[in-house]
Amino acid sequence: MKKVFVYLFLFISFIQAHPHTFIDVYPTLHVEGSKIVKIHIKWKMDDMSSAMLIMEFDTNSDGKIDEKENDYIYKNYFVSLSKYHFYMDIIVKNEIVTLPNPKNFKASIEENRVCYSFDIDKKYEVKGTKFDFYDKDFFVAMILKKEFVKVNNKVAKITGEDKDFYYMYRMELR
Amino acid sequence: MTYEKFLRILVEWQYELNSYISSTIRSLNDENSLSVFLSILFVSFVYGAVHAAGPGHGKALVAFYFTSNKSDYKKAFQMGYMISIIHAISALIFTFGIFFILKTMFRQNFNNFSQIAMQISAVMIMCVGLYLIYEAYKSRKDKDKIVKKVQKSMVVVAFSAGVVPCPGVMTIVLFCIVLQQFILGVLAAVAMSIGMGLTISLAGILSIAINKKTSGKLREKRYILEIVGALLVFTLGLFLFLSSSDLR
């Protein structure tokens, strides 16, 4: 009975949810020895959401994101995503670690899709490190497929994790 | 199947449908227009049905409402389709209004207007909840007398659930506007809303079926179930109001 009430209230709190935006996640990892020394993440938003964003981002309508537009996106859109941990968690030895501030943010338009790319400037052990991609509010669905991952010397294992009222993709290296 | 696995399937289907709709709209040309046009409408309908199966869209409200009400299955369909019509109209007004009148800052304007609509909706839902609590308590001895009166609140419930525009519908409409496919945008919004209406109706049907089953057992104490349903409607409104202050 207790579980029913917990689910009920979770259900109510997620009344605005169900994904409206889909983001393909393209991680590029560079491994040296037993450590992941470079992490580059690229998001590709779905075509329809991109059309809405391009209207606002590409102010001079040249089909590109220039430096000024990039700054605007960074300050007004990207930074505010820190409260959602940039839709990712890094887990080391089963503990979520503080996500460093993403560096080298760059927005672009590729084949009508808005892309964000950034670096995570920290080194992690290959063994025992996991990367989770999700939006706990489920407004955005983060999509991670094996073919989206680029990594040297190691193989990425992608699994789906069922959470209460949202779905999450997990990546770990083998 | 667990709810979480169900959610995974919903996400994957929506991902594919969303991608299909956008790429198909982009592929529209004079040679393939009719068949492609119709296929977009059909897929929009399916997308709406799948989209509404996830959390949100007033299913909980409809389910709680019918828990607190003696109704037949026809009413559930009426409710579902009233919500979908209001949903479609609301999404079209918001999208065309923001695009053609305000012109810029679509996403920010959309968030601002959504927040206001959601707060209005939440207050209306709370009022309906209080009204249902009052009616259920008043009619604890002779409930049949107030059935007609309570049915009138269906319109308020449908309006409360439908007035908040669905970002999913708005995104399709906006996408069509950007590609100069205005008629397709309107029709796709209608098709998607009809799909959502079907799913919302199913939530109502399920609630009515449970209500019928339990009311036989509860007999004279049925008004307790009605009050619980009404309280849930009120709580839903309250949560919606609180969460509406944190829109993205």
Side-chain angles (χ1 to χ4, degrees), chain B residues 59-102:
Chain B
K59 291 188 306 300
L61 174 65
V62 171
F64 297 157
Y65 176 81
F66 283 117
T67 304
S68 71
N69 253 291
K70 195 179 174 186
S71 294
D72 54 30
Y73 297 122
K74 207 174 137 188
K75 294 282 178 205
F77 275 108
Q78 277 178 6
M79 173 74 94
Y81 280 96
M82 266 199 280
I83 291 173
S84 67
I85 290 164
I86 297 165
H87 231 20
I89 293 170
S90 152
L92 288 168
I93 290 173
F94 273 75
T95 315
F96 278 90
I98 294 172
F99 187 85
F100 289 106
I101 299 169
L102 300 172

Side-chain angles (χ1 to χ4, degrees), chain B residues 15-245:
Chain B
Y15 176 70
E16 296 299 333
L17 290 167
N18 180 293
S19 169
Y20 176 85
I21 291 170
S22 57
S23 59
T24 313
I25 293 174
R26 281 197 188 278
S27 74
L28 259 178
N29 58 46
D30 292 339
E31 285 170 23
N32 63 15
S33 59
L34 186 63
S35 58
V36 174
F37 199 93
L38 293 174
S39 76
I40 292 167
L41 295 186
F42 176 72
V43 176
S44 298
F45 167 79
V46 177
Y47 186 47
V50 175
H51 186 65
H57 284 296
K59 291 188 306 300
L61 174 65
V62 171
F64 297 157
Y65 176 81
F66 283 117
T67 304
S68 71
N69 253 291
K70 195 179 174 186
S71 294
D72 54 30
Y73 297 122
K74 207 174 137 188
K75 294 282 178 205
F77 275 108
Q78 277 178 6
M79 173 74 94
Y81 280 96
M82 266 199 280
I83 291 173
S84 67
I85 290 164
I86 297 165
H87 231 20
I89 293 170
S90 152
L92 288 168
I93 290 173
F94 273 75
T95 315
F96 278 90
I98 294 172
F99 187 85
F100 289 106
I101 299 169
L102 300 172
K103 293 185 180 176
T104 56
M105 302 290 187
F106 189 93
R107 198 176 167 95
Q108 281 179 20
N109 280 315
F110 165 67
N111 282 349
N112 294 340
F113 286 114
S114 277
Q115 191 164 14
I116 295 165
M118 201 168 277
Q119 282 165 348
I120 293 169
S121 160
V123 171
M124 285 174 76
I125 293 168
M126 284 192 279
C127 291
V128 170
L130 291 174
Y131 172 71
L132 291 174
I133 292 167
Y134 169 72
E135 288 296 345
Y137 181 73
K138 204 173 82 175
S139 66
R140 62 194 184 280
K141 285 179 184 156
D142 189 8
K143 55 190 169 298
D144 290 333
K145 275 187 185 172
I146 57 94
V147 167
K148 270 188 187 172
K149 206 173 166 189
V150 171
Q151 302 300 353
K152 283 181 190 170
S153 58
M154 262 182 74
V155 181
V156 183
V157 169
F159 187 81
S160 311
V163 72
V164 181
C166 169
V169 180
M170 290 182 73
T171 309
I172 289 190
V173 176
L174 184 71
F175 188 68
C176 291
I177 294 173
V178 169
L179 297 178
Q180 306 281 304
Q181 297 285 350
F182 300 109
I183 295 168
L184 179 62
V186 174
L187 293 177
V190 172
M192 194 173 164
S193 298
I194 292 172
M196 290 195 288
L198 182 69
T199 306
I200 296 166
S201 301
L202 293 176
I205 287 169
L206 191 68
S207 173
I208 291 168
I210 294 168
N211 199 345
K212 282 186 175 175
K213 219 173 178 180
T214 48
S215 63
K217 288 175 189 169
L218 287 171
R219 291 173 196 272
E220 297 306 314
K221 301 284 183 193
R222 191 184 178 279
Y223 76 94
I224 294 172
L225 185 69
E226 291 173 359
I227 288 177
V228 170
L231 276 170
L232 288 171
V233 170
F234 179 80
T235 312
L236 193 66
L238 187 66
F239 270 78
L240 185 61
F241 188 80
L242 295 173
S243 64
S244 65
S245 59

Side-chain angles (χ1 to χ4, degrees), chain A residues 18-23 45-46 49 52 139-142, chain B residues 18 107:
Chain A
H18 51 263
H20 291 109
T21 299
F22 299 88
I23 299 179
M45 311 200 191
D46 67 83
S49 299
M52 178 162 65
F139 192 88
V140 173
M142 305 300 283
Chain B
N18 180 293
R107 198 176 167 95

